[in-house]
PDB file of all heavy atoms in Angstrom:
ATOM      1  N   ASN A 761      32.858 -49.699  26.476  1.00  0.00           N
ATOM      2  CA  ASN A 761      32.662 -49.858  25.038  1.00  0.00           C
ATOM      3  C   ASN A 761      31.568 -50.875  24.727  1.00  0.00           C
ATOM      4  O   ASN A 761      30.830 -50.718  23.768  1.00  0.00           O
ATOM      5  CB  ASN A 761      33.968 -50.290  24.360  1.00  0.00           C
ATOM      6  CG  ASN A 761      35.001 -49.186  24.387  1.00  0.00           C
ATOM      7  OD1 ASN A 761      34.650 -48.012  24.491  1.00  0.00           O
ATOM      8  ND2 ASN A 761      36.258 -49.554  24.315  1.00  0.00           N
ATOM      9  N   ARG A 787      11.082 -39.393  24.807  1.00  0.00           N
ATOM     10  CA  ARG A 787      11.954 -39.215  23.656  1.00  0.00           C
ATOM     11  C   ARG A 787      12.663 -40.528  23.341  1.00  0.00           C
ATOM     12  O   ARG A 787      12.768 -41.395  24.194  1.00  0.00           O
ATOM     13  CB  ARG A 787      12.975 -38.127  23.949  1.00  0.00           C
ATOM     14  CG  ARG A 787      12.331 -36.762  24.078  1.00  0.00           C
ATOM     15  CD  ARG A 787      13.369 -35.698  24.259  1.00  0.00           C
ATOM     16  NE  ARG A 787      14.247 -36.070  25.373  1.00  0.00           N
ATOM     17  CZ  ARG A 787      15.111 -35.263  25.941  1.00  0.00           C
ATOM     18  NH1 ARG A 787      15.233 -34.047  25.505  1.00  0.00           N
ATOM     19  NH2 ARG A 787      15.861 -35.666  26.927  1.00  0.00           N
ATOM     20  N   GLU A 814      27.972 -25.019  55.079  1.00  0.00           N
ATOM     21  CA  GLU A 814      28.101 -24.113  56.224  1.00  0.00           C
ATOM     22  C   GLU A 814      28.865 -24.792  57.359  1.00  0.00           C
ATOM     23  O   GLU A 814      29.741 -24.186  57.986  1.00  0.00           O
ATOM     24  CB  GLU A 814      26.715 -23.666  56.697  1.00  0.00           C
ATOM     25  CG  GLU A 814      26.022 -22.742  55.716  1.00  0.00           C
ATOM     26  CD  GLU A 814      24.527 -22.602  55.974  1.00  0.00           C
ATOM     27  OE1 GLU A 814      24.007 -23.172  56.974  1.00  0.00           O
ATOM     28  OE2 GLU A 814      23.866 -21.933  55.158  1.00  0.00           O
ATOM     29  N   PHE A 815      28.548 -26.067  57.621  1.00  0.00           N
ATOM     30  CA  PHE A 815      29.265 -26.793  58.671  1.00  0.00           C
ATOM     31  C   PHE A 815      30.756 -26.889  58.332  1.00  0.00           C
ATOM     32  O   PHE A 815      31.619 -26.643  59.173  1.00  0.00           O
ATOM     33  CB  PHE A 815      28.694 -28.195  58.876  1.00  0.00           C
ATOM     34  CG  PHE A 815      29.455 -28.980  59.911  1.00  0.00           C
ATOM     35  CD1 PHE A 815      29.117 -28.896  61.247  1.00  0.00           C
ATOM     36  CD2 PHE A 815      30.546 -29.761  59.550  1.00  0.00           C
ATOM     37  CE1 PHE A 815      29.850 -29.592  62.211  1.00  0.00           C
ATOM     38  CE2 PHE A 815      31.276 -30.461  60.495  1.00  0.00           C
ATOM     39  CZ  PHE A 815      30.929 -30.375  61.836  1.00  0.00           C
ATOM     40  N   ARG A 837      24.170 -34.973  61.280  1.00  0.00           N
ATOM     41  CA  ARG A 837      22.934 -34.629  60.575  1.00  0.00           C
ATOM     42  C   ARG A 837      23.188 -33.954  59.227  1.00  0.00           C
ATOM     43  O   ARG A 837      22.552 -34.300  58.223  1.00  0.00           O
ATOM     44  CB  ARG A 837      22.089 -33.707  61.465  1.00  0.00           C
ATOM     45  CG  ARG A 837      20.791 -33.245  60.833  1.00  0.00           C
ATOM     46  CD  ARG A 837      20.100 -32.161  61.653  1.00  0.00           C
ATOM     47  NE  ARG A 837      20.919 -30.947  61.688  1.00  0.00           N
ATOM     48  CZ  ARG A 837      21.339 -30.371  62.810  1.00  0.00           C
ATOM     49  NH1 ARG A 837      21.030 -30.852  63.991  1.00  0.00           N
ATOM     50  NH2 ARG A 837      22.087 -29.265  62.753  1.00  0.00           N
ATOM     51  N   ASP A 878      44.936 -37.893  58.999  1.00  0.00           N
ATOM     52  CA  ASP A 878      46.094 -38.613  59.511  1.00  0.00           C
ATOM     53  C   ASP A 878      47.209 -37.586  59.672  1.00  0.00           C
ATOM     54  O   ASP A 878      47.800 -37.128  58.694  1.00  0.00           O
ATOM     55  CB  ASP A 878      46.512 -39.718  58.540  1.00  0.00           C
ATOM     56  CG  ASP A 878      47.682 -40.539  59.052  1.00  0.00           C
ATOM     57  OD1 ASP A 878      48.213 -40.230  60.148  1.00  0.00           O
ATOM     58  OD2 ASP A 878      48.071 -41.493  58.355  1.00  0.00           O
ATOM     59  N   ASP A 903      40.661 -53.142  47.333  1.00  0.00           N
ATOM     60  CA  ASP A 903      41.670 -53.034  48.380  1.00  0.00           C
ATOM     61  C   ASP A 903      42.896 -52.255  47.910  1.00  0.00           C
ATOM     62  O   ASP A 903      43.894 -52.174  48.607  1.00  0.00           O
ATOM     63  CB  ASP A 903      42.091 -54.420  48.869  1.00  0.00           C
ATOM     64  CG  ASP A 903      42.705 -55.268  47.763  1.00  0.00           C
ATOM     65  OD1 ASP A 903      42.502 -54.938  46.581  1.00  0.00           O
ATOM     66  OD2 ASP A 903      43.384 -56.253  48.088  1.00  0.00           O
TER      67      ASP A 903
END
Side-chain angles (χ1 to χ4, degrees):
N761 291 336
R787 293 184 307 192
E814 291 164 4
F815 178 88
R837 178 189 65 237
D878 182 358
D903 61 342

